[in-house]
């Protein structure tokens, strides 16, 4: 067995340089996905006619098709239909695809989080003279956030890893750079293992942050 | 003052309130009693529009509203006239005991934080739970939670307070402390409407008792009259089930109560 540990350690710093682009893809996509997900979940919970059916169709499509197919459709397919999209950069196409895909899952997570807040909480808020909006912002959403954090965190971890799919449309991110090194030196195992370890490291650090945050927001609910 | 006339409410085809009219005068404590499913909670919840009535009119304090054309602004104003104490307390789980009281004050009444804290602490002292002001609801006993619920209802200084079975989900050991707090408030001439299954309590603190059954008010009157000398067969039948609870000599002599 010839495993070149020295080589692997040597390329890690070269790969670390690509953490920012990977995090950029993941974080920007996550922010947009959360925004879309919140709106969708409110449509689902309030059962707004027509919009409810459209939301369900959207969710069904983006959950029912592979994210890679969505990515290719958006980057290569959309400019074919709408020529003005020719200037869409690969990074932006990736962000759009990841956002839309993740938002479909988040919508369901947020819906469940909202409906698991006891109706009595809203009623109590309204009965003290708060408006519905004040009740939702001050009482319901903070409790829904707590319900949603664990599953949302899992989606974010998934997003960090799935951002590697962006290499298929030519974004030079972490995996793309690893592949470049691998093919240059033919030390595939070392290169891909290094890439894997870096993803692993990112998810571990993120998990710490989430655990700290969960402990913080759970405090009111622990005896 | 609360004035309700011709109030009707159905859920789908289930007609729950069939034509309810009554009045609660300023400073009066009125108890509503009646069998399970008779519409007591629904009636109370119509008064602050947690349920939307189908017909009739509701007047509380300075606000009156017609169920046929309830304007959103009026509904909000109506809700400001009352506050509610719930069977399951419904304390805001994400807020501390003190914040449970001050949040509605700062959010709606535009109190400053410090003023709201002072109001809140004063009320917590009154209900005997000031030492728990920093605690979260989950760490309190049922009786403690309900006393906070009562303080929260008092804090918004409403025209009237609505109680929906405030002691029904309490362990027996906590019932007394909560009833005592409510009695204290009743003595301060707050206008109160209390749905309760505690017949002795209703008898002791109510100025008037309303007996509801099947979506109607069957009869109303002074507690002595309703409990000792009910006019309607339906009332007698209901009270006989609670006969042991309303333990007065009069009851034992009343043959209708024993036989029904
Ligand atoms: N949100 C609702 N949707 C459908 N039906 C309802 C709803 N709320 C109450 N009802 C029905 O209305 C009727 C009256 O209910 P309500 O809760 O007002 O009775 P209650 O007198 O308070 O009874 P209890 O003493 O058990 O609390 C019941 O038949 C109940 O099933
Ligand atoms: Mg009830």
């Amino acid at each position: 067995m010839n495993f070149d540990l020295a080589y692997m350690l040597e390329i890690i710093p070269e790969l670390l340089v690509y953490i920012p682009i990977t995090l950029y893809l993941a974080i920007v996509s996550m922010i947009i996905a959360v925004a879309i997900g919140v709106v969708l979940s409110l449509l689902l919970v309030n059962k707004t006619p027509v919009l409810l059916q459209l939301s369900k169709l959207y969710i069904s499509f983006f959950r029912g098709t592979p994210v890679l197919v969505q990515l290719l459709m958006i980057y290569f397919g959309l400019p074919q239909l709408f020529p003005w999209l020719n200037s869409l950069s690969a990074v932006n196409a990736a962000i759009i695809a990841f956002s839309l895909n993740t938002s479909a899952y988040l919508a369901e997570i947020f819906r469940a989080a909202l409906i698991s807040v006891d109706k009595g909480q809203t009623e109590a808020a309204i009965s003290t003279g708060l408006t519905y909006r004040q009740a939702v912002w001050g009482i319901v959403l903070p409790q829904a956030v707590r319900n949603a954090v664990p599953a949302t965190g899992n989606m974010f971890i998934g997003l960090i890893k799935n951002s590697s799919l962006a290499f298929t449309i030519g974004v030079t991110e972490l995996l793309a750079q690893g592949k470049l090194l691998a093919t240059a030196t033919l030390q595939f195992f070392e290169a891909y293992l290094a890439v894997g370890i870096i993803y692993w490291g990112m998810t571990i650090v993120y998990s710490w942050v989430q655990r700290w945050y969960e402990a913080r927001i759970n405090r009111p609910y622990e005896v | 003052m609360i004035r309700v006339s011709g109030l009707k409410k159905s859920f789908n085809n289930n007609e729950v309130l069939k034509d309810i009219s009554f009045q609660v005068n300023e400073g009066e404590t009125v108890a509503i009693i009646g069998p399970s499913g008779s519409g007591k909670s629904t009636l109370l919840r119509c008064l602050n529009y947690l349920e939307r009535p189908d017909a009739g009119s509701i007047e509380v304090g300075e606000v009156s509203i017609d169920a046929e054309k309830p304007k959103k602004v009026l509904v909000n104003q109506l809700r400001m006239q009352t506050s509610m104490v719930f069977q399951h307390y419904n304390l805001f789980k994400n807020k501390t005991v003190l914040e449970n009281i001050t949040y509605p004050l700062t959010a709606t009444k535009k109190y400053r934080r410090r003023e709201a804290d002072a109001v809140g602490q004063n009320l917590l002292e009154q209900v005997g739970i000031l030492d728990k002001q920093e605690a979260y609801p989950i760490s309190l006993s049922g009786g403690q939670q309900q006393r906070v619920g009562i303080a929260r209802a008092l804090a918004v200084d409403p025209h009237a307070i609505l109680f929906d079975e405030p002691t029904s989900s309490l362990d027996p050991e906590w019932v007394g402390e909560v009833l005592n707090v409510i009695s204290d408030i009743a003595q301060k001439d707050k206008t109160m409407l209390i749905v309760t299954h505690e017949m002795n309590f209703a008898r002791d603190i109510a100025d008037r008792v309303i007996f509801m059954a099947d979506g109607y008010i069957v009869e109303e009157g002074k507690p002595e009259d309703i409990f000792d000398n009910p006019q309607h067969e339906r009332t007698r039948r209901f009270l006989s089930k609670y006969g042991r609870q309303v333990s007065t000599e009069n009851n034992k002599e009343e043959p209708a109560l024993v036989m029904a």
Side-chain angles (χ1 to χ4, degrees), chain A residues 36-186:
Chain A
I36 302 173
V38 167
V39 173
L40 287 174
S41 68
L42 290 173
L43 296 175
L44 292 177
V45 170
N46 290 329
K47 302 200 162 73
T48 326
V50 186
L51 290 175
L52 172 69
Q53 282 75 33
L54 289 176
S55 311
K56 284 185 171 168
L57 183 67
Y58 173 99
I59 292 166
S60 170
F61 177 79
F62 282 102
R63 295 211 306 183
T65 53
V67 62
L68 186 53
V69 171
Q70 293 161 19
L71 182 63
L72 297 174
M73 270 176 50
I74 287 168
Y75 186 57
F76 296 111
L78 282 188
Q80 178 196 331
L81 299 182
F82 310 103
W84 54 272
L85 281 175
N86 263 327
S87 57
L88 183 67
S89 72
V91 169
N92 287 342
I95 287 175
I96 293 173
F98 297 148
S99 305
L100 298 183
N101 181 268
T102 307
S103 71
Y105 290 90
L106 289 180
E108 287 293 344
I109 292 172
F110 295 165
R111 184 190 68 88
L114 282 169
I115 60 174
S116 66
V117 176
D118 177 14
K119 245 181 80 200
Q121 296 284 303
T122 318
E123 294 186 347
I126 285 175
S127 75
T128 58
L130 295 169
T131 61
Y132 183 70
R133 188 177 296 219
Q134 286 169 328
V136 169
W137 275 107
I139 306 297
V140 178
L141 277 182
Q143 296 183 43
V145 165
R146 165 177 177 258
N147 297 337
V149 161
T152 305
N154 281 341
M155 288 307 299
F156 184 63
I157 288 178
L159 199 45
I160 291 177
K161 294 179 296 177
N162 275 344
S163 70
S164 62
L165 289 173
F167 100 94
T168 57
I169 58 169
V171 178
T172 319
E173 43 66 74
L174 186 53
L175 176 58
Q177 182 60 18
K179 188 169 151 55
L180 209 68
L181 293 170
T183 37
T185 61
L186 297 182

Side-chain angles (χ1 to χ4, degrees), chain A residues 118-132 134-135 137-139 142-143 219-223, chain B residues 45 48 50 76 79-80 82-84 86 90-95 103-104 107-108 110 136-139 152 156:
Chain A
D118 177 14
K119 245 181 80 200
Q121 296 284 303
T122 318
E123 294 186 347
I126 285 175
S127 75
T128 58
L130 295 169
T131 61
Y132 183 70
Q134 286 169 328
W137 275 107
I139 306 297
Q143 296 183 43
R219 224 173 292 151
Y221 308 88
E222 280 153 8
V223 186
Chain B
R45 292 162 57 83
N48 59 5
L50 287 182
N76 277 334
R79 286 174 175 157
M80 302 275 228
T82 55
S83 58
M84 191 171 233
F86 297 85
N90 294 5
L91 297 186
F92 305 136
K93 292 181 191 159
N94 60 325
K95 305 262 180 218
Y103 180 70
T108 60
K110 314 296 177 227
Y136 283 94
I138 195 159
S139 64
R152 177 176 68 183
V156 291

Side-chain angles (χ1 to χ4, degrees), chain B residues 11 14 16 35-42 51 165 197:
Chain B
F11 292 106
N14 179 10
V16 175
S36 188
S38 57
K40 306 180 298 295
S41 296
T42 306
E51 302 293 353
E165 300 196 30
H197 287 297

